[in-house]
């Protein structure tokens, strides 16, 4: 249904463009007389995305009437809109007064009296026609002329993008990004839009409007295919066969041998890719490997101040802390203090945190650092916010994410600290180093001073980084750096089973004990249909024992399905935080945000000091009315309160259940994990190991024991293809 009419009142306008307004219907363009009689001349409520909402403007809306479940009344939900050009003296006058810069009521009346209902076209044809209006200055002529042209131009560009296939909201985002350059981008650099809209949607729109085998598309899709393959496999390079398959499967581009070779050659000439032997690299991954090797060699070869009497200092530290390090721990501490680059790796309960604390204390004592000197000399960093907080709690010193340490700028995706602006710290300890991908590690190394002591701490058997590369493992395999593997388990009581189960999973040597109930472990066997009910029972029992959602975490491999993250979050929300009259809510789609909810940050947001993987709680939901109506959700991340609106809530997800990948860098007192047949394709050795090793005090597995056993034996994700190891060996030789 298409309606013509006028915006008479703005009820709500969000920053994303989503709007609710009263719309007086003047004309129904394509419906029968009964509908015309029913709503013509009446005001209706219209909802949808609209760029640059203008009170009093004439609009053409295309959509359907829908029942609003919350408010119990019909609203006109529009999917497409365009502004109608004024075509009567009255509408032209109103337009000039309301929307044209430099045109007040008196000037508008003179213009309409002079040019009539065709005034806007007469002005656009030649701005000098305005010189016929008494009392108008050259400056106002230019302002009126530009304002009328811009109004039409903006509307035409938005409409064009909608006609091409972008939604109203997407069109608005593109226009807000490129402004006056929008038309040029659409005509000449279409795939640049991927910086605003996801590549698949950009490509779909392009195919709807252009030749799917155009050079522009093939070049763009080839580069994207290399990027896609890197993130799907974790490899830093692709083969020609992988590139061919990715283009064919994901973008339906099937090229002959010669055609693909020609495309690769052109990309090579334009410095978009690098080829070594049969390996095809995106330039950024190729340069990152080379840069990492070079900077590690520079750091390794630099002379650093030697620490004397380290053994005696360790003894003093043992006495001060009331602990006794074993020989392997002492070796790890000494090597980290003495070496330019050192690596400490071990599973759960092997003492990594203890060693970090010892290294820091020893360094502070050796160099007589005052409290004010510590921040200038020591940096404790990790890939995630929760991992950095864990470091801070264990050492009593400030710690941060790598992004925050390097001062990442979100808009430009660049770091303030880089090869031209180095950091000053002389001891840098990176925890959860297995999570650091090749690009982030390269950025870190470029920013470190050459006189640094770099200590990498992690678990080389955990899930690798989300981004491409296998940095920690590659460094270990070179044998170029001091490497201390921790094998002895210390953490937890004598009756603790969790760290031993993790060790068995790591070694693919699962004993039958995994089916037996232990002090800190239980496997509750049931079929898939019963899993979410069993988890409900477990949570209710935990609540009766005063174990709340802050110390218990449900970890799940996938998002969809009855036992997936999304459904479990809805179930657990009703257990932990049911609806109550005193608790405000905000409903967006099928998701309810409620005061008291446990939530997870999905992306890095350095401006608000909140990072991917941070867990917080909704402490308030409020509605602002000035300057425009807006819902605000306030989330408390360990004392850091961040406000979200409808647009930014896309970066938040409920966290009663979360993915195993998102749990990396975190530890939880109690972990519950469903094990179902429908997860089978996602259950593999490293993922299971990572999930199990998150638990500190108790672990409960729920589901199919045979699926768990087969998952432990599944090593399909064991190796990524990189050439960092070879570059390091060559650089150091």
């Amino acid at each position: 249904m298409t309606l013509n009419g006028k915006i008479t009142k703005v009820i709500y306008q969000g920053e994303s463009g989503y709007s609710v307004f009263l719309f007086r219907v003047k004309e129904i363009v394509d419906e029968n007389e009964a509908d015309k009689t029913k709503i013509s001349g009446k005001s209706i409520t219209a909802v949808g995305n609209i760029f640059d909402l203008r009170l009093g403007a004439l609009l053409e809306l295309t959509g359907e009437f829908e029942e609003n479940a919350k408010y119990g009344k019909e609203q006109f939900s529009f999917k497409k809109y365009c502004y109608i050009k004024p075509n009567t003296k009255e509408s032209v006058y109103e337009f000039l007064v309301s929307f044209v810069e430099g045109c007040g009521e008196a000037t508008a009346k003179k213009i309409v009296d002079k040019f009539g209902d065709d005034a806007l076209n007469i002005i656009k044809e030649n701005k000098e026609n305005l010189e016929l209006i008494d009392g108008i200055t050259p400056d106002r002529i230019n302002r009126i002329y530009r304002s009328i042209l811009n109004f039409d131009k903006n509307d035409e560009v938005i409409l064009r993008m909608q006609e091409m296939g972008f939604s109203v909201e997407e069109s608005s985002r593109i226009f807000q990004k490129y402004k006056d350059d929008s038309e040029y981008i659409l005509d000449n650099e279409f795939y640049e839009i991927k910086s605003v809209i996801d590549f698949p949607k950009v490509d779909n729109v392009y195919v709807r409007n252009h030749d799917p085998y155009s050079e522009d598309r093939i070049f763009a899709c080839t580069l994207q295919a290399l990027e896609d393959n890197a993130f799907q496999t974790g490899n830093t390079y692709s083969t020609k066969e992988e590139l061919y398959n990715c283009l064919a499967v994901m973008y339906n581009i099937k090229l002959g041998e010669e055609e693909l070779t020609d495309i690769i050659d052109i990309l090579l000439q334009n410095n978009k890719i690098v080829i070594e032997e049969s390996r095809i690299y995106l330039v950024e991954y190729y340069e990152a490997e080379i840069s990492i090797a070079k900077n590690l060699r520079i750091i390794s070869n630099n002379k650093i101040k030697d620490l004397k009497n380290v053994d005696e200092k360790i003894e003093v530290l043992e006495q001060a802390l009331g602990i006794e390090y074993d020989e392997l721990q002492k070796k790890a501490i000494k090597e980290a203090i003495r070496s330019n680059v050192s690596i400490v790796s071990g599973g759960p309960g092997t003492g990594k945190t203890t060693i970090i604390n010892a290294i820091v204390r020893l360094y502070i004592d050796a160099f007589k650092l005052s409290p004010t000197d510590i921040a200038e000399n020591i940096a404790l960093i990790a890939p995630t916010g929760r991992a950095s907080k864990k470091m801070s709690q264990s050492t009593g010193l400030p710690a941060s994410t790598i992004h925050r340490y390097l001062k990442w700028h979100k808009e430009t995706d660049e770091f303030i600290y880089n090869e031209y602006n180095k950091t000053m710290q002389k001891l840098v300890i990176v925890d959860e180093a297995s999570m650091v991908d090749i690009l982030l590690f390269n950025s870190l190394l470029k920013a470190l001073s050459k006189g640094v002591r770099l200590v990498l701490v992690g678990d080389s058997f955990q899930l690798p980084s989300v981004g491409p590369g296998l940095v920690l493992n590659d460094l270990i395999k070179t044998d170029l750096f001091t490497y201390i593997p921790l094998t002895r388990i210390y953490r937890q009581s004598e009756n603790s089973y969790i760290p031993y189960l993790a060790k068995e999973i790591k070694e693919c040597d699962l004993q039958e004990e995994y089916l037996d109930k232990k002090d800190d472990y239980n496997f509750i066997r049931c079929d898939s249909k019963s899993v979410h009910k069993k988890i409900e029972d477990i949570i209710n029992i935990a609540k009766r024992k005063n174990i709340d959602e802050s110390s218990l975490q449900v970890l799940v491999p996938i998002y969809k399905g009855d036992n997936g993250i999304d459904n479990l979050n809805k179930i657990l929300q009703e257990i932990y935080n049911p609806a109550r009259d005193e608790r405000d809510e905000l409903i967006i789609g099928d998701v309810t945000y409620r005061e008291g909810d446990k939530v997870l940050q999905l992306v890095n947001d350095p401006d608000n000091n909140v990072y991917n993987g941070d867990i917080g709680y909704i402490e308030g939901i409020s509605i602002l009315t000035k300057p425009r109506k807006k819902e605000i959700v306030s989330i408390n991340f360990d004392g850091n309160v961040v406000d979200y609106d409808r647009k930014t809530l896309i970066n938040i997800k409920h966290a009663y259940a979360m993915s195993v990948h998102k749990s990396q860098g975190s530890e939880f007192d109690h972990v519950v994990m469903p094990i179902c047949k429908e997860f089978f394709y996602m259950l593999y050795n490293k993922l299971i190991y990572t999930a199990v090793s998150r638990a500190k005090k108790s672990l409960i597995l729920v589901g199919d024991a045979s699926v768990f056993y087969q998952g432990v034996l599944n090593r399909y994700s064991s190796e990524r293809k990189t050439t960092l190891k070879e570059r390091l060996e060559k650089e150091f030789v």
Side-chain angles (χ1 to χ4, degrees):
M1 178 183 291
T2 300
L3 309 178
N4 288 347
K6 178 181 177 180
I7 300 173
T8 57
K9 182 180 180 181
V10 177
I11 299 172
Y12 172 82
Q13 184 180 10
E15 291 181 4
S16 65
Y18 180 80
S19 304
V20 182
F21 53 87
L22 292 184
F23 185 73
R24 182 172 291 280
V25 180
K26 180 180 179 183
E27 181 184 7
I28 303 177
V29 177
D30 54 1
E31 292 298 319
N32 57 44
E33 288 298 324
D35 285 326
K36 289 183 179 181
T37 303
K38 183 179 177 183
I39 63 173
S40 185
K42 297 183 179 179
S43 289
I44 62 171
T45 301
V47 297
N49 285 288
I50 185 168
F51 174 74
D52 194 17
L53 184 62
R54 305 154 186 165
L55 180 64
L58 303 175
L59 279 182
E60 180 177 278
L61 304 178
T62 301
E64 297 294 338
F65 280 99
E66 296 177 356
E67 186 76 19
N68 184 287
K70 185 173 181 180
Y71 297 106
K73 63 180 181 181
E74 273 196 331
Q75 296 179 335
F76 189 75
S77 177
F78 62 90
K79 307 301 180 187
K80 184 178 178 182
Y81 78 91
C82 66
Y83 283 97
I84 300 172
K85 295 177 181 178
N87 55 10
T88 66
K89 284 186 177 182
E90 292 78 13
S91 62
V92 170
Y93 170 80
E94 191 172 338
F95 174 84
L96 289 169
V97 172
S98 301
F99 305 120
V100 175
E101 183 184 349
C103 191
E105 293 182 4
T107 303
K109 186 177 186 307
K110 291 178 183 178
I111 291 173
V112 172
D113 288 345
K114 186 70 175 178
F115 301 130
D117 56 18
D118 200 32
L120 299 180
N121 288 329
I122 291 171
I123 294 169
K124 285 191 291 185
E125 285 171 6
N126 189 348
K127 68 178 181 179
E128 292 178 1
N129 288 327
L130 284 170
E131 294 176 0
L132 300 175
I133 306 300
D134 292 338
I136 195 166
T137 65
D139 177 63
R140 288 180 69 195
I141 288 174
N142 286 326
R143 288 164 64 196
I144 291 170
Y145 177 71
R146 282 198 306 268
S147 186
I148 292 173
L149 286 185
N150 286 338
F151 188 100
D152 277 358
K153 183 180 178 182
N154 295 354
D155 189 32
E156 287 167 5
V157 172
I158 292 286
L159 181 59
R160 180 186 171 190
M161 286 189 277
Q162 291 177 63
E163 290 172 343
M164 293 180 80
F166 290 111
S167 70
V168 175
E169 190 269 338
E170 289 166 342
S171 301
S172 298
R173 283 165 56 195
I174 295 167
F175 188 84
Q176 287 166 350
K177 167 77 173 180
Y178 298 109
K179 301 291 190 215
D180 293 341
D181 294 327
S182 296
E183 277 193 296
Y184 177 84
I185 293 293
L186 291 174
D187 293 332
N188 300 285
E189 296 181 12
F190 191 86
Y191 281 96
E192 285 296 313
I193 297 172
K194 72 177 184 177
S195 66
V196 187
I197 310 296
D198 289 343
F199 186 90
K201 178 59 183 283
V202 176
D203 187 55
N204 286 337
V205 172
Y206 185 92
V207 170
R208 285 179 56 178
N209 296 275
H210 301 89
D211 175 10
Y213 274 83
S214 72
E215 277 193 357
D216 284 348
R217 179 170 188 254
I218 291 175
F219 288 144
C221 288
T222 301
L223 290 172
Q224 187 63 36
L226 291 170
E227 186 76 43
D228 293 339
N229 189 57
F231 271 85
Q232 288 168 3
T233 64
N235 302 336
T236 57
Y237 62 86
S238 301
T239 64
K240 196 171 183 180
E241 182 181 5
E242 288 171 337
L243 178 57
Y244 174 85
N245 290 335
C246 197
L247 280 169
V249 172
M250 298 193 68
Y251 303 109
N252 198 29
I253 295 177
K254 297 177 182 178
L255 302 174
E257 177 74 22
E258 284 190 23
E259 291 174 305
L260 184 56
T261 300
D262 290 343
I263 294 295
I264 291 172
D265 286 343
I266 293 172
L267 292 174
L268 187 62
Q269 292 167 19
N270 288 309
N271 299 317
K272 298 293 185 182
I273 61 173
V274 176
I275 298 178
E276 277 189 347
E277 299 176 1
S278 60
R279 301 185 297 267
I280 306 171
Y281 300 81
L282 285 169
V283 168
E284 61 183 343
Y285 297 131
Y286 176 82
E287 291 180 347
E289 286 191 343
I290 290 175
S291 176
I292 288 171
K294 176 185 174 184
N295 282 307
L296 281 174
R297 193 252 307 156
I298 291 171
I299 292 171
S300 295
N301 290 345
N302 191 67
K303 284 189 176 183
I304 57 175
K305 189 174 181 180
D306 191 28
L307 270 69
K308 298 178 181 179
N309 304 319
V310 176
D311 289 316
E312 290 85 344
K313 292 179 185 295
I314 290 177
E315 288 182 14
V316 172
L317 185 60
E318 286 178 314
Q319 293 173 6
L321 297 176
I323 60 176
E324 185 176 344
Y325 303 116
D326 69 17
E327 290 306 312
L328 196 57
Q329 288 179 316
K330 287 180 181 178
K331 184 180 179 183
I333 296 166
K334 286 191 288 187
E335 294 296 346
I337 287 291
R338 289 171 172 167
S339 304
N340 299 55
V341 180
S342 60
I343 302 169
V344 179
S345 178
T350 55
K352 297 188 296 293
T353 301
T354 300
I355 288 170
I356 291 174
N357 198 22
I359 294 168
V360 170
R361 285 175 174 268
L362 209 60
Y363 190 89
I364 291 171
D365 178 67
F367 290 102
K368 309 300 180 189
L369 300 181
S370 69
T372 55
D373 293 333
I374 291 173
E376 295 180 1
N377 286 272
I378 299 174
L380 304 179
I381 57 178
T384 68
R386 288 184 68 82
S388 68
K389 285 168 189 169
K390 186 176 71 175
M391 290 181 83
S392 183
Q393 290 166 356
S394 65
T395 62
L397 299 176
S400 73
T401 63
I402 299 173
H403 280 78
R404 190 179 182 199
Y405 175 63
L406 298 179
K407 298 192 181 300
W408 179 57
H409 190 275
K410 182 169 59 175
E411 297 301 322
T412 62
D413 193 23
E414 294 176 342
F415 295 102
I416 292 176
Y417 286 116
N418 50 45
E419 62 267 48
Y420 309 111
N421 183 31
K422 303 275 189 177
T423 59
M424 68 178 75
Q425 287 73 23
K426 299 303 181 185
L427 172 65
V428 175
I429 303 178
V430 184
D431 198 9
E432 298 292 348
S434 66
M435 298 175 64
V436 182
D437 65 41
I438 192 164
L439 295 182
L440 183 57
F441 192 62
N442 181 41
S443 295
L444 174 62
L445 289 183
K446 286 194 292 187
L448 296 181
S449 64
K450 64 180 181 179
V452 73
R453 282 179 173 87
L454 177 63
V455 184
L456 303 176
V457 182
D459 185 346
S460 60
F461 198 75
Q462 271 187 194
L463 285 170
S465 57
V466 174
L470 200 62
V471 174
L472 185 64
N473 295 59
D474 284 343
L475 266 58
I476 291 170
K477 288 178 182 177
T478 62
D479 289 329
L480 293 169
F481 311 101
T482 301
Y483 169 51
I484 309 298
L486 304 176
T487 55
R488 183 177 172 184
I489 296 170
Y490 298 89
R491 195 178 72 193
Q492 302 176 347
S493 67
E494 291 182 5
N495 296 322
S496 177
Y497 177 65
I498 295 169
Y500 296 97
L501 175 63
K503 188 171 183 290
E504 290 175 7
I505 293 168
K506 178 178 178 179
E507 296 170 353
C508 282
D509 185 23
L510 201 59
Q511 304 300 306
E512 290 186 7
E513 275 188 290
Y514 85 94
L515 295 174
D516 300 336
K517 185 176 180 179
K518 303 289 193 303
D519 288 350
D520 63 345
Y521 169 81
N522 195 11
F523 199 125
I524 300 175
R525 282 174 278 182
C526 62
D527 59 32
S528 291
K529 292 181 181 179
S530 305
V531 165
H532 64 79
K533 184 64 177 69
K534 291 289 184 184
I535 291 177
E536 286 183 60
D537 294 341
I538 291 167
I539 301 303
N540 282 315
I541 292 170
K543 282 187 67 181
R544 290 198 289 271
K545 294 181 178 180
N546 293 319
I547 298 173
D548 62 18
E549 71 277 13
S550 66
S551 58
L552 187 151
Q553 186 60 55
V554 179
L555 299 181
V556 191
I558 65 174
Y559 283 90
K560 303 303 179 185
D562 287 345
N563 299 314
I565 293 167
D566 292 338
N567 191 52
L568 285 176
N569 266 323
K570 291 179 181 177
I571 292 171
L572 299 180
Q573 182 188 38
E574 292 309 308
I575 297 175
Y576 281 122
N577 192 30
R580 296 176 188 173
D581 290 341
E582 67 272 17
R583 289 185 177 172
D584 289 331
E585 296 181 353
L586 174 62
I587 300 173
I588 300 179
D590 62 347
V591 179
T592 300
Y593 299 92
R594 186 175 295 144
E595 287 183 349
D597 273 343
K598 178 183 179 181
V599 292
L600 176 75
Q601 175 77 11
L602 301 177
V603 299
N604 291 325
D605 183 1
D607 293 340
N608 288 305
N609 191 26
V610 59
Y611 294 86
N612 183 6
D614 284 357
I615 291 175
Y617 291 85
I618 296 177
E619 69 171 27
I621 298 174
S622 54
I623 298 177
L624 304 181
T625 56
K626 293 181 180 180
R628 59 177 62 169
K629 189 175 180 181
K630 181 193 293 187
E631 295 105 336
I632 297 295
V633 177
S634 299
I635 301 176
N636 191 326
F637 295 93
D638 292 335
N640 175 30
V641 180
V642 181
D643 290 340
Y644 295 78
D645 58 20
R646 281 178 174 263
K647 182 179 178 181
T648 53
L649 273 174
I650 193 173
N651 300 326
I652 290 295
K653 198 170 191 67
H654 283 95
Y656 302 109
M658 71 165 68
S659 71
V660 180
H661 284 84
K662 289 292 183 186
S663 74
Q664 278 188 273
S666 302
E667 287 183 327
F668 309 97
D669 285 347
H670 311 281
V671 169
V672 177
M673 183 180 183
I675 306 290
C676 310
K677 287 183 179 178
E678 59 263 36
F679 298 171
F680 186 76
Y681 71 97
M682 276 297 294
L683 284 173
Y684 54 94
N685 189 281
K686 284 196 173 185
L687 182 134
I688 295 173
Y689 172 84
T690 302
V692 167
S693 60
R694 299 307 91 203
K696 291 166 60 179
K697 294 182 179 178
S698 76
L699 170 69
I700 300 178
L701 305 178
V702 185
D704 192 321
S706 64
V707 171
F708 179 76
Y709 185 81
Q710 292 299 319
V712 169
L713 298 181
N714 182 1
R715 285 184 173 271
Y716 83 87
S717 67
S718 57
E719 287 300 326
R720 293 181 169 191
K721 293 189 296 185
T722 81
T723 43
L724 178 58
K725 176 177 177 288
E726 290 78 1
R727 297 195 196 286
L728 282 162
E729 291 168 343
K730 182 179 179 181
E731 180 71 33
F732 276 72
V733 169

